[in-house]
Amino acid sequence: MRYPQGGGLTDAERTAREQVRLQAVAGFEAGDKNREIAAALRVSERSVERWRRQWREEGMAGVASKGSPGRPRLSDTQITRLERALECGPLAHGWTDQRWTLARVKTMIGRLFHVSYTLEGTWRLLRRHSWSWQQPARRAIERDDDAVELWKPGGLAAGKSTAAVNNAWVVFEDEAGQSMTPPRARTWGRKGVTPVVRVRGRGSGRVSMAGMTCYKTGERSRLIYAIREYRGRKDEPKGFGWKDYRDLIIRAHTQLGGPIVLVRDNLRMHLVAPLREFFDANADWLTVFQLPTYAPDLNPQEGIWSLVKRDIGNLAAADLSQITRAVKRKLKMLQYRPEVVDGCLAGTGLALSL
């Protein structure tokens, strides 16, 4: 079955085409040749010849645009229905992955409204209604979205209230790591030739990072971090232990010079008995809140790690020390740019007065 076409031109494009035809008519009236008009308007001589014939036979009415045959055929109600269908994701409509391509959106329009759009028309339709081609964020299937939404006004509000009463800092803590294989970053390259970044295939090692994004109303936002290298040697710890987290909290308390409201995730090392005993023993200056499970988007320290890894993208390091130096350099730079730390705080969507 063939559906009526849709998708067409925007209002600005239709107006521009109408102006070109009016300029052509002005050339006809002035006695200009088709070749001269075509060169001036940057159109084909064949189009100018057709417009001249229509102008001779019907006057201005013959030259006027009849409207685009691909003009959008979806009403506002249909657009709303289409957007709701797209927001459900491709899985809900029978596809095996979660990618909305132009071909799939075109198919959805045909299924819902029996209107056939071209791929270009589908692209224009989506752009016209504020849709764009994006790289999605990943979320764990085990994540409880209801718990996350309840924590935003509940858990954070309790933490902010505690911080206000005790004149304390709100401190978000998180960990990350980086191996010898660098993150891939976009780069310019010749069309048809994929750029290649050569990295070392042999050698072990990992740089572990622990960081704290510190916030307090009326104060400059702070970033506190610790770095540890693991080179695969015998009896060498692979990452941070509970004592390292304890020492980092104590260092933050000393540097910030006041009480701390610590917001942390559900890492197993955070839940060990010695660390809980440390929290209980220092309850006079330390209050601990736990983020919902699988909710990294609520932790501004994740934004800091994203900036760090973006800076070392495509880094072909000669050894682990080069990775460590690059990480330390970026973290040190961020310490002197509190506005970037504020941006990571704001990016969580939490109600913080920056």
Side-chain angles (χ1 to χ4, degrees), residues 12-31:
E13 289 170 332
R14 283 194 291 271
T15 301
R17 290 196 175 191
E18 192 69 31
Q19 290 296 327
V20 169
R21 290 177 180 241
L22 291 176
Q23 292 175 23
V25 170
F28 301 156
E29 294 174 344

Side-chain angles (χ1 to χ4, degrees), residues 66-104:
K66 305 298 189 298
S68 171
R71 197 168 183 175
R73 293 179 177 271
L74 298 185
S75 64
D76 293 341
T77 303
Q78 290 174 320
I79 291 296
T80 302
R81 184 183 171 189
L82 174 62
E83 289 181 332
R84 289 176 180 173
L86 297 180
E87 288 169 356
C88 293
L91 283 176
H93 300 285
W95 283 282
T96 56
D97 58 43
Q98 303 184 60
R99 292 184 306 151
W100 276 125
T101 63
L102 291 177
R104 291 180 178 181

Side-chain angles (χ1 to χ4, degrees), residues 187-314:
T187 181
W188 285 98
R190 187 180 296 278
K191 288 185 178 180
V193 181
T194 303
V196 176
V197 178
R198 299 193 177 276
V199 298
R200 292 186 176 272
R202 295 183 298 173
S204 61
R206 184 176 180 84
V207 178
S208 297
M209 303 171 279
M212 292 181 168
T213 302
C214 311
Y215 158 80
K216 183 178 179 181
T217 303
E219 297 283 349
R220 177 176 63 87
S221 298
R222 310 286 181 84
L223 172 63
I224 301 173
Y225 64 89
I227 302 291
R228 163 167 287 177
E229 288 184 351
Y230 170 68
R231 298 180 177 273
R233 296 168 182 168
K234 186 178 180 181
D235 299 328
E236 184 182 16
K238 293 185 178 181
F240 291 99
W242 73 269
K243 292 182 180 179
D244 299 304
Y245 293 119
R246 178 200 62 189
D247 295 343
L248 184 60
I249 294 171
I250 293 174
R251 179 152 66 91
H253 174 54
T254 302
Q255 291 186 14
L256 298 175
I260 289 176
V261 174
L262 180 65
V263 182
R264 57 185 177 84
D265 59 14
N266 298 282
L267 184 69
R268 182 177 300 178
M269 190 57 66
H270 292 166
L271 307 177
V272 297
L275 205 54
R276 292 200 304 268
E277 293 171 0
F278 168 74
F279 294 156
D280 295 337
N282 295 277
D284 55 329
W285 60 268
L286 178 61
T287 306
V288 180
F289 285 86
Q290 187 170 310
L291 286 168
T293 306
Y294 298 104
D297 51 304
L298 298 181
N299 196 332
Q301 189 61 36
E302 291 283 354
I304 298 293
W305 299 143
S306 177
L307 293 173
V308 170
K309 296 200 174 188
R310 184 187 306 172
D311 198 59
I312 61 175
N314 298 348

